[in-house]
Amino acid sequence: MKFAAVVVSYNRIELLKKCLRSLEQQTRPLDEIIVVDNGSTDGSADYVAAEHPGITLFRTGENLGGAGGFAWGVEIALAHGLDGAWLMDDDAEPELDAFKPLADRFEAARPEASFLASLVMTHDDQINKGNRPRINPEAERQVEASEQGGIAIDTATFVGVLINLHFAAKTALPMSDFFIWMDDAEYTYRLSRMANALMIPESKINHPQNPVRNDMGARLFYLVRNQLWFIRERQSTTGRDLLDAVGLLRIVLMQFFAAKDKKLWFQSAAKGLGQGVFRRPKRRKPGSLLKTLSPQERAIIGC
């Protein structure tokens, strides 16, 4: 089987260098590395082109957010006929033996898994609380997962998740409209409904602990809108939707007391609520993004 790492990068050139070094030194070599540069202005794309000519580089030309970047990454990986794509941000730093256990489980899994996720750690060897997967509550799935040396999960973040492109080809790409936050939860949840998904604790990736945002400011809009979109797209029949809605309300209220600008809090929450209820993110089929490129642009990325 053939695998690629897909890295979405935006203005973090020093972290990107560390990420690419780790990927190129994996004990089980990757067949390809794909970097999607989200319109960086710090020279990241030029660095990749000059210092890593063997890497597939796609320049979006503008910041599409993590969601838009990963949509392009999955699109390119599918077009290259690969079996799996290991998705991560540019601030991820895989352990040098992180990929091998994922690839081994991927190839041995019967039935096939929809995705396998690495265990995300902080740089001081602690479990990264900001990147924990959502554990699947079904006992049968946990038994199946334990037999394969993993833990059954429903969602994972885009920090070291190896998606099965055979399943990805049958569903929409990651939804670019999310821009930031919850796009990974929505996409991996959708995949996990198609087949079992596992976290493999042997595979470890270091990632900075997400800073605690006492006041999200204008970004509260993305949290409210995207959480509501996730609930609506999930179409769950369990009580999980209610729990998530209550959890979102709790965060919004906490943000009210933390907000320095109450007017901005109200505007962000109201805008997020309005778009979360009355709009839906656009679904794009695999292959649709490539159709927007010229033949010359497609040739540059081997599509």
Side-chain angles (χ1 to χ4, degrees), residues 160-264:
V161 56
L162 178 62
I163 65 167
N164 188 325
L165 291 171
H166 303 150
F167 288 104
K170 301 174 183 178
T171 187
L173 296 166
M175 295 187 189
S176 301
D177 287 347
F178 275 76
F179 195 73
I180 58 169
W181 298 344
M182 300 305 296
D183 53 304
D184 44 12
E186 188 283 324
Y187 186 60
T188 53
Y189 182 83
R190 197 175 350 131
L191 289 175
S192 72
R193 298 308 89 188
M194 301 171 74
N196 208 1
L198 292 77
M199 181 182 72
I200 307 299
E202 293 174 56
S203 174
K204 295 181 180 180
I205 286 188
N206 297 310
H207 186 267
Q209 182 75 51
N210 294 328
V212 176
R213 297 184 182 275
N214 294 324
D215 181 2
M216 292 182 185
R219 286 193 167 201
L220 179 62
F221 157 70
Y222 293 108
L223 178 72
V224 174
R225 182 195 66 177
N226 294 359
Q227 181 69 62
L228 291 173
W229 274 355
F230 179 38
I231 291 172
R232 294 176 67 197
E233 291 295 323
R234 188 168 59 197
Q235 298 179 340
S236 173
T237 56
T238 68
R240 183 173 290 178
D241 288 348
L242 178 60
L243 290 175
D244 284 351
V246 171
L248 175 61
L249 178 61
R250 177 174 174 270
I251 293 174
V252 172
L253 291 176
M254 290 174 62
Q255 281 294 304
F256 172 78
F257 294 106
K260 297 177 182 178
D261 186 336
K262 304 300 184 187
K263 181 179 179 181
L264 179 60

Side-chain angles (χ1 to χ4, degrees), residues 1 86 95 104 110 154 161 167 177 219 221 263 296:
M1 290 186 174
W86 196 20
E95 297 288 335
D104 289 347
R110 296 294 182 272
D154 284 341
V161 56
F167 288 104
D177 287 347
R219 286 193 167 201
F221 157 70
K263 181 179 179 181
Q296 293 79 9

Side-chain angles (χ1 to χ4, degrees), residues 32-46:
E32 185 178 359
I33 298 174
I34 300 168
V35 172
V36 178
D37 183 80
N38 242 340
S40 295
T41 57
D42 65 349
S44 292
D46 291 339

Side-chain angles (χ1 to χ4, degrees), residues 8-299:
V8 173
S9 177
Y10 180 65
N11 281 345
R12 292 191 290 205
I13 188 170
E14 295 305 322
L15 293 174
L16 175 63
K17 290 178 181 179
K18 292 181 180 180
C19 178
L20 295 182
R21 280 198 297 268
S22 296
L23 292 174
E24 291 178 334
Q25 296 174 22
Q26 288 295 305
T27 55
R28 169 158 178 170
L30 290 145
D31 297 283
E32 185 178 359
I33 298 174
I34 300 168
V35 172
V36 178
D37 183 80
N38 242 340
S40 295
T41 57
D42 65 349
S44 292
D46 291 339
Y47 160 77
V48 174
E51 301 297 329
H52 300 271
I55 286 178
T56 299
L57 171 64
F58 177 68
R59 305 174 191 241
T60 64
E62 61 179 314
N63 183 10
L64 304 177
F70 283 112
W72 272 107
V74 173
E75 176 87 321
I76 294 168
L78 283 166
H80 286 188
L82 300 161
D83 297 289
W86 196 20
L87 311 182
M88 65 189 71
D89 292 316
D90 54 6
D91 56 353
E93 189 175 352
E95 297 288 335
L96 299 186
D97 60 352
F99 181 62
K100 187 178 187 306
L102 293 181
D104 289 347
R105 299 297 196 290
F106 189 103
E107 292 176 331
R110 296 294 182 272
E112 290 184 81
S114 60
F115 68 84
L116 303 175
S118 300
L119 176 62
V120 184
M121 309 290 290
T122 62
H123 287 281
D124 55 358
D125 204 32
Q126 301 294 316
I127 293 177
N128 195 314
K129 296 180 181 179
N131 289 275
R132 288 181 293 192
R134 176 169 283 184
I135 305 298
N136 185 283
E138 299 175 23
E140 184 177 347
R141 283 205 171 192
Q142 291 300 340
V143 170
E144 292 176 0
S146 65
E147 292 174 348
Q148 300 179 48
I151 299 169
I153 58 177
D154 284 341
T155 69
T157 62
F158 285 158
V159 182
V161 56
L162 178 62
I163 65 167
N164 188 325
L165 291 171
H166 303 150
F167 288 104
K170 301 174 183 178
T171 187
L173 296 166
M175 295 187 189
S176 301
D177 287 347
F178 275 76
F179 195 73
I180 58 169
W181 298 344
M182 300 305 296
D183 53 304
D184 44 12
E186 188 283 324
Y187 186 60
T188 53
Y189 182 83
R190 197 175 350 131
L191 289 175
S192 72
R193 298 308 89 188
M194 301 171 74
N196 208 1
L198 292 77
M199 181 182 72
I200 307 299
E202 293 174 56
S203 174
K204 295 181 180 180
I205 286 188
N206 297 310
H207 186 267
Q209 182 75 51
N210 294 328
V212 176
R213 297 184 182 275
N214 294 324
D215 181 2
M216 292 182 185
R219 286 193 167 201
L220 179 62
F221 157 70
Y222 293 108
L223 178 72
V224 174
R225 182 195 66 177
N226 294 359
Q227 181 69 62
L228 291 173
W229 274 355
F230 179 38
I231 291 172
R232 294 176 67 197
E233 291 295 323
R234 188 168 59 197
Q235 298 179 340
S236 173
T237 56
T238 68
R240 183 173 290 178
D241 288 348
L242 178 60
L243 290 175
D244 284 351
V246 171
L248 175 61
L249 178 61
R250 177 174 174 270
I251 293 174
V252 172
L253 291 176
M254 290 174 62
Q255 281 294 304
F256 172 78
F257 294 106
K260 297 177 182 178
D261 186 336
K262 304 300 184 187
K263 181 179 179 181
L264 179 60
W265 170 89
F266 176 79
Q267 291 173 337
S268 301
K271 183 180 178 183
L273 176 63
Q275 292 197 15
V277 171
F278 296 108
R279 289 183 54 190
R280 296 293 283 265
K282 184 177 180 180
R283 287 179 175 254
R284 292 180 171 86
K285 295 180 179 180
S288 62
L289 294 181
L290 288 178
K291 292 179 180 178
T292 66
L293 300 181
S294 68
Q296 293 79 9
E297 289 172 323
R298 295 182 62 166

